[in-house]
Amino acid sequence: MAPLDDQELNTAIQNAESLAWSVRGAAGRQLAGSDKIEDVADVIHRLLLDAQDTWVIQETAEALLERKDTIGLRHVLLAYSQAGTYDTVDQLGDALDCNPEWMTTQGADRLIKQYRELATDPDAGVRNEARQILAKLRPREEWARDSEADS
């Protein structure tokens, strides 16, 4: 995605307040891909916790995870740690669990490294969510040993 200029960024911020779920979702996708993500963190956070439509949450979370960087993952974990409804928890959990990066060794290794980094995050919610996810994962060495034992 090409970087947003200031006018596009301002339009996306305004669209994040739209009554239309499709407009909010598109705004979430645009803002998540922005190179000024820290400047719009509060808007992204609101979209990740959208109380009116889970599609907005899904679009924003998926776009953040598509960045493949720690900052995008951190935003999703922060919202996940603060989610107040079952639908929001479910949608954010699905985005984290179904992240296509888990399907490749390189992607999974990158995610594990990012989760380890976020396990020491200053925010307790992010830190705890990262630690819980890591606790569910078996170390790659165990997977390799089990595969060799089955051969």
Side-chain angles (χ1 to χ4, degrees):
M1 176 174 248
L4 300 176
D5 64 31
D6 288 342
Q7 182 178 351
E8 292 169 322
L9 188 65
N10 287 333
T11 299
I13 291 168
Q14 289 173 356
N15 287 345
E17 301 297 326
S18 174
L19 295 177
W21 59 267
S22 59
V23 175
R24 289 194 316 279
R29 184 161 280 286
Q30 280 186 300
L31 294 170
S34 171
D35 57 349
K36 298 179 181 177
I37 193 166
E38 290 307 317
D39 295 340
V40 294
D42 59 331
V43 179
I44 289 172
H45 192 69
R46 276 197 323 270
L47 292 169
L48 285 169
L49 298 174
D50 192 282
Q52 298 172 4
D53 199 286
T54 58
W55 190 80
V56 176
I57 297 167
Q58 177 184 338
E59 280 297 292
T60 307
E62 286 178 0
L64 285 164
L65 296 175
E66 287 168 7
R67 294 173 61 97
K68 300 180 182 180
D69 62 8
T70 305
I71 193 73
L73 179 59
R74 184 184 187 282
H75 281 283
V76 177
L77 285 178
L78 179 62
Y80 190 60
S81 75
Q82 297 175 354
T85 68
Y86 172 80
D87 289 339
T88 304
V89 169
D90 189 49
Q91 201 67 50
L92 291 169
D94 283 351
L96 291 165
D97 292 344
C98 299
N99 185 342
E101 287 298 291
W102 288 118
M103 300 303 291
T104 67
T105 301
Q106 182 181 9
D109 287 346
R110 180 177 42 252
L111 278 173
I112 290 168
K113 181 180 177 187
Q114 290 170 340
Y115 279 118
R116 284 184 178 148
E117 180 182 336
L118 292 169
T120 61
D121 193 86
D123 183 277
V126 172
R127 191 171 57 243
N128 292 339
E129 294 301 335
R131 288 176 181 171
Q132 286 179 20
I133 291 168
L134 285 169
K136 293 179 196 174
L137 300 174
R138 292 171 55 195
R140 296 193 61 73
E141 300 79 36
E142 286 184 39
W143 286 103
R145 277 196 310 271
D146 289 352
S147 295
E148 290 170 8
D150 292 339
S151 299

